[in-house]
Amino acid sequence: MAPRHDDSMTSFPSRRAVLTAIGAVPVLAVAMPSPSATAAAAAAVVVDPSVRRQTIRGFGGMNHPAWAGDLTAAQRDTAFGNGTGQLGFSILRIHVDENRANWSAEVATAQRAIAHGAIVFASPWNPPAGMVETFTRGSQTNAKRLRRDSYAAYAQHLNDFTQFMKNNGVDLYAISIQNEPDYAHDWTWWTAGEIVTFLRNNAGSISTRIIAPESFQYVKSMSDPLLNDAGALANLDILGAHLYGTPFSNFPYPLFKQKGQGKELWMTEVYYPNSTDSADLWPAALGVGEHMHRAMVDAEFQAYVWWYIRRSYGPMREDGKISKRGAVMAHFSKFVRPGYVRIDAASNPQTNVYVSAYTGNSTVVIVVVNKNSAAVSQQFVLANTASAAVSSWVTDASRTLTPLSGPGVSNGSFTATVPAQSVTTFVVTVGSSNGTDTQAPGTPGLPTAAGVTSTSVTLSWTASTDNVGVIGYDVVRVSGGTETPAGSSATAQATVTGLTAGTAYTFAVYARDAAGNRSARSSTVTVTTTAGPTGGCGVGYQVVGSWSGGFQGELVIHNTGSAALNDWTLSFSFTAGQTITQMWGGTPTQKGGAVNVVPVDYNRSIPVGGSVTIGFIAGQGSTNPAPTTFVLNGGTCANE
């Protein structure tokens, strides 16, 4: 058995030792701001439900019976129930043991989590021993990696675990390829290239959603190659990351926002700020509130998952009671429920004050973390809405998830005094700006599909009606009893991207109004994407710059197949009279609108996973539409 994944163990280099070595030790305590009187009233925080950010999948933690002992029946209810004295977790992470004889240990807690409405996902630390080889990695002479000839067998191993859990009443939401492939002293190492290969060639056979890479510190060099490889990305459903020692400045991920349309972004493991302090130490536990705020607002994660649920430093103490760290987590997990959407709000309206806002089920939830040593006064204004009532809960040095009265609300505005060194959650019942609106929009019409490609589909439907007005629509993918957000639109049409070629998808639509009321779900439509590229390639096309009568363009060819592309020829057509006058990185011939490009000496071969970039200057007429189809060596490439 692998050593415990826990700083209290000494059988492998502790997280603290590793972080110290790389200069990224997490803070050990929350810094104490200078004492001051109650701050003067700051500018109002405008909360706008019409400006929607990411859909929240949930909050949760890890249960690992082999390493930390299973949760008891009562502790399962404390973790996943949402009553008084419960955490309201909606995500459970479990372990995929390399020995299938141990799989049954995961069932009981997973079944209870499912019964409470939570989703369950799983992460492996090692493949079965027969699939592993040892190699030398730096000073580690017994490093482990998955044998290349075992990739298909490993995919079947993950699929077998998925089916085992399904047979026991637990339909896994997703499964990871590998826990922390870049921190694997006692488990299995993977390079980013190996993950790309597995995703491209083997992950498509797994019957649930796929998570990767679960990097130890959200190291982007582990995930960038996944996003930049069309074949790998097609089989990736959730980009997972851990945040051990990751500075807040590294939380945003522009490349994911560019390339990850249709994918989910999860934080799948962390403890914070350390594993040495008691989880009840205050105000150190308040640091969890800022960390969660940053994960939701700066990183725009859709899920936040703690390490061990029950631990001295975790959300639940060893006696089964909620800790202060757990209470801070519960200010999010109990009130920001699965399917809620983060909405626009000033995130840092005062020094050491952090605000995030969410909407769902005719409510707006506002979570405020005040790290100051004095109370602050803060006004909140709900744009285009009027609120019927505000409820609030607070956790500070002397109170834990304690309900408060008020504050009073008028014309969509309220002002609250936020206690010193506290986290406060406000739950606002909202209505329209013309009075309380509790009427949901009418059901949207049956969606119809058009523009179906190997990776996308455009859906349209008959618009909904509402007593005040529909402000938007949410498109969901439907699989059995599970819904997955697929897109949103202000009009009765949306394009869903990031789909897998030759795959059937079922979609439905909800309408919503300004009050946050949501319609009944539309009827479903099932769409099968086209078979996709036959050339094992992807081509990206863009206009780099333009001027009167001309433009500069760029083509990037990616080899997404399983063999090198040698002495390639790329063919495409311009449809508006564009004419290439100069090219670098390739040699063109053009007849009418038809263009063929062959390589130059230095890029005659495109290796597996590699790419070449071609630039050109061309003349144009009054319009400049992009080519729609690219053919490489006779095979159609994916448009990137």
Side-chain angles (χ1 to χ4, degrees):
M1 178 182 296
R4 296 190 185 187
H5 185 93
D6 189 334
D7 274 2
S8 64
M9 302 297 110
T10 57
S11 54
F12 70 102
S14 73
R15 292 183 169 281
R16 180 164 181 75
V18 173
L19 292 172
T20 300
I22 63 178
V25 181
V27 294
L28 293 180
V30 177
M32 293 287 289
S34 300
S36 64
T38 300
V45 171
V46 177
V47 179
D48 191 347
S50 69
V51 182
R52 297 164 72 87
R53 307 298 183 185
Q54 76 270 30
T55 298
I56 304 303
R57 182 60 54 207
F59 306 86
M62 177 87 188
N63 184 53
H64 202 316
W67 292 357
D70 199 2
L71 298 178
T72 67
Q75 290 166 357
R76 294 165 191 155
D77 290 336
T78 298
F80 300 101
N82 200 21
T84 302
Q86 296 178 324
L87 286 164
F89 280 176
S90 51
I91 298 179
L92 168 66
R93 183 182 185 221
I94 61 174
H95 170 229
V96 184
D97 200 284
E98 53 265 39
N99 184 350
R100 66 182 58 222
N102 298 327
W103 288 355
S104 58
E106 308 295 336
V107 171
T109 293
Q111 287 176 333
R112 190 58 183 161
I114 291 284
H116 278 294
I119 59 175
V120 180
F121 77 98
S123 298
W125 270 246
N126 290 297
M131 302 180 191
V132 174
E133 64 183 4
T134 58
F135 70 108
T136 298
R137 186 183 186 277
S139 61
Q140 186 180 1
T141 58
N142 63 341
K144 294 188 294 185
R145 66 186 172 203
L146 178 66
R147 295 201 327 259
R148 288 298 180 99
D149 61 0
S150 293
Y151 277 27
Y154 182 56
Q156 186 60 51
H157 170 73
L158 298 180
N159 212 36
D160 288 348
F161 181 83
T162 301
Q163 188 60 48
F164 172 85
M165 295 303 294
K166 187 179 184 69
N167 292 343
N168 284 278
V170 178
D171 195 356
L172 288 182
Y173 187 85
I175 196 165
S176 173
I177 290 172
Q178 173 66 48
N179 171 76
E180 294 182 356
D182 51 347
Y183 177 83
H185 297 278
D186 286 277
W187 46 87
T188 304
W189 294 96
W190 291 63
T191 66
E194 289 167 344
I195 295 174
V196 166
T197 299
F198 184 86
L199 282 172
R200 187 195 303 130
N201 299 332
N202 304 101
S205 66
I206 300 171
S207 60
T208 190
R209 298 172 186 84
I210 300 300
I211 301 174
E214 289 203 279
S215 165
F216 169 44
Q217 286 192 307
Y218 203 9
V219 175
K220 304 302 194 296
S221 61
M222 289 297 295
S223 49
D224 281 356
L226 282 60
L227 295 170
N228 285 321
D229 187 288
L233 187 60
N235 287 329
L236 176 71
D237 299 286
I238 301 168
L239 196 151
H242 298 181
L243 294 179
Y244 290 106
T246 309
F248 294 147
S249 60
N250 285 352
F251 277 26
Y253 200 175
L255 186 64
F256 180 83
K257 297 191 75 169
Q258 176 189 351
K259 298 288 187 71
Q261 297 89 345
K263 311 299 180 181
E264 296 189 43
L265 183 63
W266 287 21
M267 197 291 293
T268 55
E269 184 189 314
V270 79
Y271 53 74
Y272 187 89
N274 53 51
S275 63
T276 54
D277 290 339
S278 163
D280 288 314
L281 183 64
W282 196 267
L286 190 58
V288 175
E290 182 185 359
H291 196 260
M292 294 182 72
H293 166 91
R294 300 276 193 171
M296 295 293 105
V297 175
D298 297 352
E300 297 189 273
F301 286 118
Q302 297 171 260
Y304 186 98
V305 182
W306 194 266
W307 179 223
Y308 291 132
I309 293 174
R310 186 195 63 218
R311 210 63 168 175
S312 62
Y313 55 85
M316 183 189 300
R317 302 193 306 250
E318 293 291 352
D319 63 3
K321 303 298 183 182
I322 294 176
S323 69
K324 285 288 193 182
R325 289 184 181 180
V328 172
M329 288 189 70
H331 274 273
F332 292 84
S333 59
K334 288 179 70 67
F335 306 102
V336 182
R337 303 302 294 167
Y340 279 38
V341 178
R342 188 174 71 85
I343 56 179
D344 195 58
S347 62
N348 188 200
Q350 304 185 52
T351 301
N352 293 317
V353 176
Y354 302 95
V355 175
S356 59
Y358 313 82
T359 187
N361 294 333
S362 299
T363 63
V364 167
V365 178
I366 304 170
V367 184
V368 184
V369 178
N370 177 19
K371 294 177 66 179
N372 291 292
S373 56
V376 298
S377 177
Q378 183 62 60
Q379 182 185 8
F380 300 91
V381 177
L382 273 68
N384 304 312
T385 63
S387 53
V390 179
S391 302
S392 59
W393 288 260
V394 69
T395 294
D396 58 12
S398 60
R399 295 172 289 189
T400 302
L401 287 167
T402 300
L404 303 175
S405 59
V409 59
S410 176
N411 296 322
S413 173
F414 66 93
T415 299
T417 298
V418 183
Q421 294 177 337
S422 71
V423 56
T424 305
T425 299
F426 301 97
V427 178
V428 188
T429 303
V430 298
S432 73
S433 57
N434 297 320
T436 301
D437 177 14
T438 60
Q439 180 176 325
T443 305
L446 173 68
T448 58
V452 181
T453 72
S454 61
T455 59
S456 66
V457 60
T458 297
L459 301 172
S460 57
W461 53 89
T462 302
S464 297
T465 59
D466 185 62
N467 62 317
V468 174
V470 173
I471 65 166
Y473 298 89
D474 299 318
V475 180
V476 295
R477 279 168 47 185
V478 181
S479 177
T482 302
E483 293 182 358
T484 305
S488 60
S489 174
T491 66
Q493 178 176 298
T495 298
V496 180
T497 60
L499 305 180
T500 301
T503 303
Y505 293 92
T506 299
F507 297 100
V509 180
Y510 291 93
R512 47 185 162 77
D513 62 18
N517 299 311
R518 205 181 197 198
S519 72
R521 194 177 79 186
S522 73
S523 299
T524 59
V525 60
T526 299
V527 181
T528 300
T529 53
T530 59
T534 58
C537 53
V539 174
Y541 176 93
Q542 66 172 328
V543 174
V544 177
S546 60
W547 51 89
S548 178
F551 71 101
Q552 178 180 338
E554 182 181 90
L555 292 156
V556 180
I557 306 171
H558 287 95
N559 182 355
T560 61
S562 57
L565 295 170
N566 299 315
D567 292 322
W568 48 268
T569 299
L570 177 70
S571 302
F572 60 93
S573 294
F574 285 125
T575 59
Q578 301 98 319
T579 303
I580 295 176
T581 58
Q582 181 182 351
M583 178 173 283
W584 51 97
T587 302
T589 58
Q590 183 170 354
K591 184 176 182 179
V595 179
N596 289 325
V597 180
V598 296
V600 292
D601 288 340
Y602 65 82
N603 62 8
R604 291 190 180 280
S605 179
I606 309 175
V608 173
S611 64
V612 298
T613 300
I614 302 163
F616 63 91
I617 303 294
Q620 69 173 68
S622 59
T623 62
N624 188 22
T628 57
T629 303
F630 297 92
V631 176
L632 192 77
N633 293 351
T636 303
C637 298
N639 288 321
E640 297 183 341

